[in-house]
Every structure is written in structure tokens, then in C-alpha cells.
Amino acid sequence: MSEILIDVQNVTHHFKLNRKTAICAVDQVSFQIKKGEILGLVGESGAGKSTLARCIMNLYQPTAGRILYKGIDTCDRRQFKEHKKMLQTKRQLIFQDSTSSINQRMKAVDIIAEPLRINHVHTPRGSARAEAEFQLHYVGMDAGCLDKYPPELSGGERQRIAIARALSMEPELLVADEPIASLDVSIQAQIINLFKHLQKEHGFTFLFISHDLAMVEYLCDRVGVMYQGRLVELAPTRDLFSNPQHPYTRTLLSAIPLPDPKRERNRRKGVYDAQKS
Amino acid sequence: MTEKDFELAGIRTVEEQPLRAKRKWYKEYPVVSMLFLGIMIVECFFCEQIMTVNPTYMDLEHCNVAPGRKFLFGTDTLGRDIFSMIWYGGRVSLLIGFVATAISTAIGVLFGAVSGVASPRADAFLMRAVEIVLSIPNLLMIVLLQAVLGGAGVIGISIVIGITGWMSIAKVVRTEVRQIRNSEYVIASKCMGGSFWHILWRHFLPNFWPSIMFMVVMNVRTAIVAESTLSFMGIGLPLEIVSWGSMLALSQQALMTGSWWMILIPGCFLIVTLMCVTDIGNSLRRDSNQRQSNL
């Protein structure tokens, strides 16, 4: 439990707009995720959460800093190439929008079995189809959906297929980039419960990116708060929600609506000004 | 006061229209064209069973015979039976059509996909190269290549036609790939370790296939036409290899002797085949457009 799986050290990522200007999307972020932990990452839009996730998944090359996965520097070309296969199978990414993250012209079976086919993995359940069926059961869908195309399925089912695809490789690290943002509330709850259940069974390490504070509080062991590319606070969930240290975190928490209308009316919403503090 | 006065403004009774009957299955496909083309392909394939005499046999006693009972479509100036030659030569013409199309499609898809995923500079370079090749008249290029490659057989001419007809497909494929390549499922596939071939086959091809389908089918037509043009001009297949083009090449002599059947019959077969292919291509295009608008 205490073993560190991924170590992010001073990662900075710039997006070049043109020759002169660059936007600093992620600024000097450092944190560690322990094995089997669920780390939540919250922050407003444009805070650099997704960029950080993509840096961790090697989709972007960070401008500066290192990311160590089990001691392997994934930002280093040579080390990445050396462990390419392991890195590609053991780390999986779930995208926000299931409509665009799965190919509309492929059947559910093919989508789920795609990573197996790419990596020529022989599954314990025999054929790729059997494996896909198993994974589909695992995420709570029945085998009837195997031969359906994504447009025939609902948003929640599509997201489940995306999750099943990520799980079919039995990853050690699962990075979910706002997996519930495009779903409606009842489906969100289903998917969150599914994540919680799956994490308990599989024991994978989970980086969960969201801007829904309630979901993060429910799911995560530790929560990191990002603001303008910086990680302003990182604390265990209970500490963060009961005793926020950073003023931005306090402002963020004050934005949560209260279920009681009387208290809601008296709720004071803070405004965070980065220049002031 | 009649009931009419109580009618509220804006409320109109809509006459119920009976739902239009579902389109019959045969209206969705170009049945006639498919049937004709199917018959043509099958008969060319089994030409040995249909041919009445050996198509290459020169029956010098019966030169220039008009269509009749013995020679259904007549004979040419060399005394060969045109009925047998049609099927025998059709085999060659269709073969050239399909092989050349396969070659040009493969090159076009590959070139387009490589250009689509390449960096902007490499992409610009590749596309300018395509435009340079595209600016050379097609026939000129075929003739040049033919001259370079020397004596042509069936496969040789297919290759020549194939490697001169891929440019437009490459351009369309490149545009489509550039649109798809940044979509999340391609990124996800790359993340899982999918190679270029895997992504091309699994993600790119199914997505751009509908848009090049029409061009691919039309390439069959272009290839058949190119072959007959070349043979007609005498730089394609030699006269002893029977194809519809080389049969039409005989028409120069036929015009002088007034034997119409030598021109008309192979010409008719060629035109019917081309029309069928065009019709199928057109309906495919309509179909794919419709399906895209349904999505």
C-alpha cells in the first residue's frame, strides 16, 4: 500500500501559441500516487487537469520535469522505448466524451477487445470475444450489447464500454479524465459506484479527474486541487473537506450548494483573487 | 353562429397523411445494373463453356461474315468469331479494370493516410508532389510509362493504369484522415500501442471508406476505358491478346469494308458495362450521403 507507483516531479507543460507567446498549462506540479490509491484531481476549467493527465499518459511531452512510473522515467525517450509495451498495457486512459473516444463504426466487441488485439494478449478466458463478454458483465452490461454499434447505445452504456476497454488489459494505473462530466446525474452515480466497486476488486491505482466535488469526496482517498496550472493543495479527502488550507480550496468548497434551502440562502460564496493572496 | 367561429386562430386541423409505404428493397439497389454486370462477369469468367469456337482461331474461309446463325455476332477481318471474342476479351478487360483499381486504391489509401498523419511540412510536400503528378495529363503519363516498361501484357498494362490513377483517392483520403486523426479514439488506440497499420485498418479505413467508395468504383470504369483507348491507339495490348479495346482497334479496317458489327458489338458491350459500373457507383454515393445525414 505504501509503495509509490507514480511520482510526478516538477512537471511543467507549455503550449506554444506562436513563436513569442506560450501558455503555461501545468506549472511545477509535483505529487506522488501510492499503489492502490484513488487520487482525485479537482479544479476549474482550464486549470491544467487534463494536460497533466495527458502528460502522465505520454500523450504530451512535458516541457520540464520528470514523471517516474515505478522508477521508469516515462518522459525520457530511451527509457520509454525500453519499457514501451509494459507502459502501454499497464496504464490506461478513460476519456471524458464517450461519443468521440470510441469509434462509431466498430462493434462493442471490437472496441473492448482492441487493446488485446493490439498487444496480442492471450486472455485467461480464451477468445477475445469471451474476454469482451466477461468485461462487459463486469461493468454491468449483458452480452446482448456485444454486437451493437455505439450509436445504438446510451451515453452511460458507451462510457461503460470505454471503461471495459480500459479494464480489459488489467491495468495497474487507470487515469480517468472527467469520465462522468458528460453523463446525467443518475448515470454519474452508477458509474462512480462502478469505479468504487472495480477498484476494490482489481486494486488498481486510480487518478480521477473531475470538477464535481461531491463525487470526488465520495470516491477518492486523497484530493489534489489545481488552480491555474499549479497544484495548490493536496491532502487526504477528509482533511481537505473539513479543514481546507489554501484560500482557493476554501472558495471552491464554498461553491458547493447545500441541500437545505434555508442554509443555502445564507451560504456565503467566496471569491478567490489570485493577485491578492 | 356556426362552429367555425369558435375555431381559434392558429389552430389548424392537419389532414392525416397515410404513412408512405416503405420503399421496396429493390428500389434501394441498382438492381438492373447489378444484374447486367453480374451476368457479364459470370459469363466472362466461364467463357470456356459459352464460346462456340476458339476465339483466337482464324477461320480464313469466313472472313468478314455478317452476324448469322453460325456466327452469332459475325466474324472480323481475320476470321475470328466475335461472339467468342466478346466473352474472352471481356475477361481481359474486366480483369484489367479490377486489378488496376486494386493497385490504384492501395497506393492512394496508403499515400493519403501517410500524408494525413504526417507533420504539416511533410504533408505539404507530399500533397504538392501529388499535385505535380496530377497536373500531367493522364493519357500522356500512361503512354510514357508504357514506353518505358516496354512490351505490355495484361498485368503490365494494369500496373501502368493503376499507378497513374491513384492521385484523387489519395487527396480525399488525406483530407479525411486529417479530420479523424485527432479524434479521441485514435489517441486512445495510440495510447494502447496501436501501430500505424492497426489504426489505418481499424479506424481510418472504415471511416473514410464511404467517401472513396464512389471513386474506387469509378476507377474500374476509368481503367477499362484507359485500356480500350490504349489498345485502340495501338499502344496497349497487342492484337493477338483479345480484349474489348483491341477488338475496337480493328474497327479502322471495319469502317472501310462497311462491316458495322465489328465496331458496334464490342462497343455496345463496353458501354453497357461502363453504364452499369457508373450506376452502381452513383447509387453507392447516394447511399453513403444518406447514411451520413442520418447519423
Side-chain angles (χ1 to χ4, degrees):
Chain A
M1 189 69 196
S2 59
E3 193 190 334
I4 287 166
L5 187 77
I6 194 153
D7 190 359
V8 179
Q9 297 175 349
N10 294 319
V11 165
T12 306
H13 188 81
H14 293 280
F15 283 111
K16 276 202 183 105
L17 289 183
N18 50 41
R19 244 171 237 170
K20 280 179 190 159
T21 48
I23 284 180
C24 186
V26 177
D27 190 10
Q28 297 279 325
V29 172
S30 309
F31 63 90
Q32 281 122 23
I33 310 178
K34 294 192 200 93
K35 206 163 183 192
E37 187 184 34
I38 306 182
L39 181 76
L41 212 52
V42 291
E44 59 191 37
S45 305
K49 310 180 296 282
S50 298
T51 313
L52 186 61
R54 286 174 177 225
C55 282
I56 290 172
M57 292 305 290
N58 277 88
L59 292 172
Y60 294 149
Q61 186 73 19
T63 319
R66 295 201 304 166
I67 297 170
L68 298 177
Y69 177 82
K70 284 188 180 172
I72 303 160
D73 187 357
T74 55
C75 301
D76 185 55
R77 290 263 160 88
R78 213 168 47 93
Q79 284 197 38
F80 177 72
K81 227 167 230 169
E82 219 169 279
H83 301 276
K84 197 173 172 190
K85 185 133 195 187
M86 188 274 280
L87 289 172
Q88 277 168 349
T89 52
K90 290 300 172 197
R91 304 176 307 167
Q92 294 290 333
L93 180 63
I94 298 170
F95 288 93
Q96 171 181 5
D97 187 5
S98 57
T99 349
S100 59
S101 73
I102 55 182
N103 190 345
Q104 305 287 311
R105 288 177 194 274
M106 273 163 84
K107 283 179 182 170
V109 198
D110 298 322
I111 294 166
I112 297 169
E114 194 191 350
L116 302 173
R117 290 225 175 91
I118 290 174
N119 293 299
H120 308 286
V121 177
H122 290 286
T123 58
R125 279 158 287 270
S127 67
R129 195 185 166 83
E131 176 69 27
E133 193 178 336
F134 173 80
Q135 293 295 349
L136 212 55
H137 271 301
Y138 216 74
V139 295
M141 283 163 74
D142 62 89
C145 298
L146 274 177
D147 288 313
K148 281 187 181 164
Y149 287 93
E152 299 169 46
L153 301 166
S154 71
E157 284 171 326
R158 276 201 294 263
Q159 193 61 281
R160 277 164 202 259
I161 284 177
I163 295 166
R165 175 176 67 180
L167 289 177
S168 67
M169 289 310 292
E170 310 207 330
E172 285 173 348
L173 173 70
L174 196 63
V175 177
D177 186 359
E178 308 212 12
I180 52 167
S182 60
L183 305 171
D184 64 51
V185 179
S186 61
I187 311 282
Q188 278 185 4
Q190 281 177 21
I191 298 283
I192 285 294
N193 281 326
L194 177 68
F195 275 135
K196 205 161 191 172
H197 170 74
L198 290 175
Q199 205 273 339
K200 216 170 269 170
E201 295 232 326
H202 270 285
F204 51 71
T205 311
F206 194 16
L207 177 60
F208 180 78
I209 294 170
S210 177
H211 50 232
D212 190 331
L213 289 163
M215 292 299 178
V216 169
E217 187 181 9
Y218 175 68
L219 183 69
C220 301
D221 301 327
R222 282 199 305 158
V223 181
V225 181
M226 283 190 81
Y227 179 67
Q228 289 191 347
R230 282 187 296 274
L231 188 69
V232 295
E233 190 166 0
L234 180 66
T237 311
R238 200 178 298 159
D239 293 358
L240 187 109
F241 279 87
S242 62
N243 184 21
Q245 297 294 320
H246 194 272
Y248 176 69
T249 316
R250 264 176 249 149
T251 323
L252 201 63
L253 293 180
S254 77
I256 302 175
L258 301 167
D260 182 359
K262 266 186 199 150
R263 282 167 61 206
E264 165 72 21
R265 225 166 284 142
N266 297 326
R267 182 166 64 97
R268 286 186 53 193
K269 281 163 238 161
V271 179
Y272 176 64
D273 188 4
Q275 263 79 45
K276 218 163 60 188
S277 48
Chain B
M1 261 223 227
T2 55
E3 254 183 64
K4 212 172 178 205
D5 294 324
F6 288 103
E7 264 185 29
L8 285 173
I11 291 184
R12 277 178 300 156
T13 49
V14 182
E15 255 179 66
E16 257 189 46
Q17 282 177 347
L19 277 170
R20 253 188 296 163
K22 225 182 143 194
R23 285 170 84 195
K24 296 266 167 49
W25 65 270
Y26 54 79
K27 283 194 177 157
E28 289 176 18
Y29 302 101
V31 175
V32 178
S33 302
M34 279 158 84
L35 201 71
F36 266 104
L37 197 65
I39 291 172
M40 211 75 91
I41 290 169
V42 166
E43 300 211 332
C44 289
F45 199 73
F46 295 106
C47 62
E48 269 94 2
Q49 274 73 44
I50 303 164
M51 288 184 309
T52 45
V53 287
N54 184 355
T56 51
Y57 174 66
M58 296 173 196
D59 190 352
L60 293 177
E61 287 170 15
H62 301 279
C63 287
N64 251 342
V65 177
R69 183 161 291 172
K70 187 166 182 222
F71 301 104
L72 281 174
F73 292 163
T75 61
D76 66 359
T77 42
L78 298 171
R80 296 180 292 187
D81 177 31
I82 289 183
F83 179 75
S84 310
M85 281 167 82
I86 284 284
W87 306 121
Y88 196 69
R91 181 146 77 168
V92 171
S93 282
L94 289 174
L95 186 71
I96 289 173
F98 287 118
V99 172
T101 305
I103 292 170
S104 61
T105 309
I107 300 176
V109 164
L110 211 59
F111 197 96
V114 167
S115 179
V117 296
S119 65
R121 201 166 289 175
D123 172 53
F125 175 74
L126 290 172
M127 277 300 114
R128 293 306 85 75
V130 168
E131 273 151 28
I132 289 169
V133 181
L134 205 57
S135 67
I136 305 169
N138 208 2
L139 199 62
L140 183 69
M141 212 152 68
I142 296 176
V143 171
L144 276 175
L145 273 173
Q146 190 76 305
V148 170
L149 287 176
V154 174
I155 296 302
I157 207 165
S158 316
I159 292 171
V160 168
I161 295 170
I163 59 178
T164 52
W166 53 271
M167 285 81 77
S168 47
I169 292 183
K171 277 193 132 347
V172 173
V173 168
R174 178 250 171 201
T175 315
E176 294 275 326
V177 166
R178 265 205 131 43
Q179 276 177 13
I180 313 167
R181 73 164 190 172
N182 279 333
S183 57
E184 278 174 342
Y185 55 85
V186 176
I187 294 174
S189 189
K190 263 188 211 155
C191 210
M192 290 175 231
S195 60
F196 170 73
W197 295 106
H198 171 88
I199 293 173
L200 173 62
W201 189 252
R202 287 259 155 194
H203 296 297
F204 289 159
L205 201 66
N207 278 298
F208 64 61
W209 187 246
S211 38
I212 62 164
M213 192 71 196
F214 170 71
M215 303 176 85
V216 169
V217 172
M218 284 307 157
N219 256 15
V220 175
R221 186 192 68 169
T222 320
I224 294 174
V225 171
E227 181 270 324
S228 40
T229 315
L230 285 180
S231 301
F232 179 77
M233 295 194 306
I235 45 176
L237 293 172
L239 268 181
E240 66 265 20
I241 299 180
V242 180
S243 79
W244 290 342
S246 61
M247 285 167 80
L248 284 172
L250 289 171
S251 57
Q252 294 154 0
Q253 297 141 24
L255 274 175
M256 306 215 223
T257 52
S259 26
W260 52 268
W261 57 92
M262 254 182 259
I263 314 164
L264 214 59
I265 288 166
C268 277
F269 271 85
L270 190 62
I271 287 170
V272 167
T273 309
L274 297 185
M275 277 173 66
C276 292
V277 173
T278 313
D279 190 33
I280 291 171
N282 269 333
S283 88
L284 276 174
R285 183 176 54 174
R286 217 177 306 132
D287 210 39
S288 78
N289 283 352
Q290 233 164 40
R291 212 171 300 151
Q292 265 162 15
S293 65
N294 279 349
L295 270 176

